[in-house]
Amino acid sequence: DAGITQSPRHKVTETGTPVTLRCHQTENHRYMYWYRQDPGHGLRLIHYSYGVKDTDKGEVSDGYSVSRSKTEDFLLTLESATSSQTSVYFCAISGFVIILREKGSYEQYFGPGTRLTVT
Amino acid sequence: GQQVMQIPQYQHVQEGEDFTTYCNSSTTLSNIQWYKQRPGGHPVFLIQLVKSGEVKKQKRLTFQFGEAKKNSSLHITATQTTDVGTYFCAGPVSGGYNKLIFGAGTRLAVHP
């Protein structure tokens, strides 16, 4: 497994409180991603980063912000947690593609996940 | 918007039976990736296909990319209990080769 850790692994919080999830990598990969996983929806991209201090929104970014001040760390913040943000959150990283002739995409390596419950 | 759809959503089989999951994209894809997630685990990359009509095999798993590059399939021959999990396909987001859009996944249960 790629060197990706997430903290905390489990968290229960109350509605309206801020929450920060951390993703840490030791692979020096350029790209980092935050996804949420909910039954019936697969993995949905929240935000991603393509370099230090370079971030962009994904398809479900409302209510979330991110920061990346170092290559190895990507933080996801829920400014004011709501019950709809109860989910499993995965961080992923990607680096270089191996495809030689035709255009491929970077394969992604996922962290172990954080289970967040907002009560 | 761009969509990637997978069917079936859930399938249970007897050990030794074959299994197939299908992935369909609303747009032409430059490539497609497949991931497996074991129960309670995280998604793990299996394979990437980039050529029209490409077929790749990994032991009992056969992956196919359609001629029009809008669909793909994963076939498992003679399932084993170790095949249990959810299988996801993913394609690049239009205009962003470093972002993926995932299907909702097919959950496979294997009964011994």
Side-chain angles (χ1 to χ4, degrees), chain B residues 43-93:
Chain B
V44 174
F45 173 79
L46 293 177
I47 204 164
Q48 179 172 193
L49 306 172
V50 296
K51 298 177 183 177
S52 171
E54 187 171 15
V55 178
K56 286 189 175 181
K57 293 189 176 184
Q58 290 180 348
K59 297 183 181 179
R60 294 176 296 101
L61 278 61
T62 301
F63 303 85
Q64 188 166 7
F65 200 11
E67 294 290 342
K69 303 184 80 173
K70 294 187 70 174
N71 57 77
S72 181
S73 64
L74 159 59
H75 179 81
I76 302 178
T77 303
T79 55
Q80 300 176 358
T81 54
T82 53
D83 296 323
V84 164
T86 301
Y87 293 85
F88 295 97
C89 63
V93 171

Side-chain angles (χ1 to χ4, degrees), chain A residues 10-31:
Chain A
H10 302 271
K11 187 169 181 66
V12 180
T13 191
E14 293 184 349
T15 298
T17 59
V19 177
T20 295
L21 309 182
R22 180 183 184 237
C23 177
H24 178 79
Q25 61 147 329
T26 59
E27 305 296 320
N28 202 35
H29 279 12
R30 177 181 177 185
Y31 299 98

Side-chain angles (χ1 to χ4, degrees), chain A residues 1 93 97-99 105-110, chain B residues 31-37 42-49 56 58 63 88 90 100 102:
Chain A
D1 281 349
I93 65 175
V97 69
I98 306 173
I99 304 302
S105 297
Y106 298 154
E107 61 205 58
Q108 296 187 7
Y109 299 95
F110 287 80
Chain B
N31 61 83
I32 194 154
Q33 299 183 16
W34 285 91
Y35 292 77
K36 177 183 178 180
Q37 183 178 23
H42 58 275
V44 174
F45 173 79
L46 293 177
I47 204 164
Q48 179 172 193
L49 306 172
K56 286 189 175 181
Q58 290 180 348
F63 303 85
F88 295 97
L100 297 176
F102 283 80

Side-chain angles (χ1 to χ4, degrees), chain A residues 25-100:
Chain A
Q25 61 147 329
T26 59
E27 305 296 320
N28 202 35
H29 279 12
R30 177 181 177 185
Y31 299 98
M32 297 186 75
Y33 310 82
W34 277 107
Y35 293 91
R36 61 178 289 173
Q37 184 173 41
D38 305 289
H41 289 278
L43 294 153
R44 291 183 292 175
L45 182 65
I46 305 171
H47 281 280
Y48 77 105
S49 169
Y50 47 97
V52 174
K53 298 186 180 179
D54 292 323
T55 64
D56 204 352
K57 296 179 180 180
E59 63 177 307
V60 290
S61 59
D62 287 349
Y64 302 95
S65 63
V66 290
S67 66
R68 190 172 180 196
S69 59
K70 297 186 290 185
T71 299
E72 57 266 36
D73 290 325
F74 193 31
L75 304 180
L76 176 71
T77 298
L78 289 65
E79 304 290 348
S80 178
T82 67
S83 58
S84 65
Q85 294 176 311
T86 292
S87 186
V88 179
Y89 291 85
F90 286 101
C91 173
I93 65 175
S94 67
F96 295 100
V97 69
I98 306 173
I99 304 302
L100 297 177

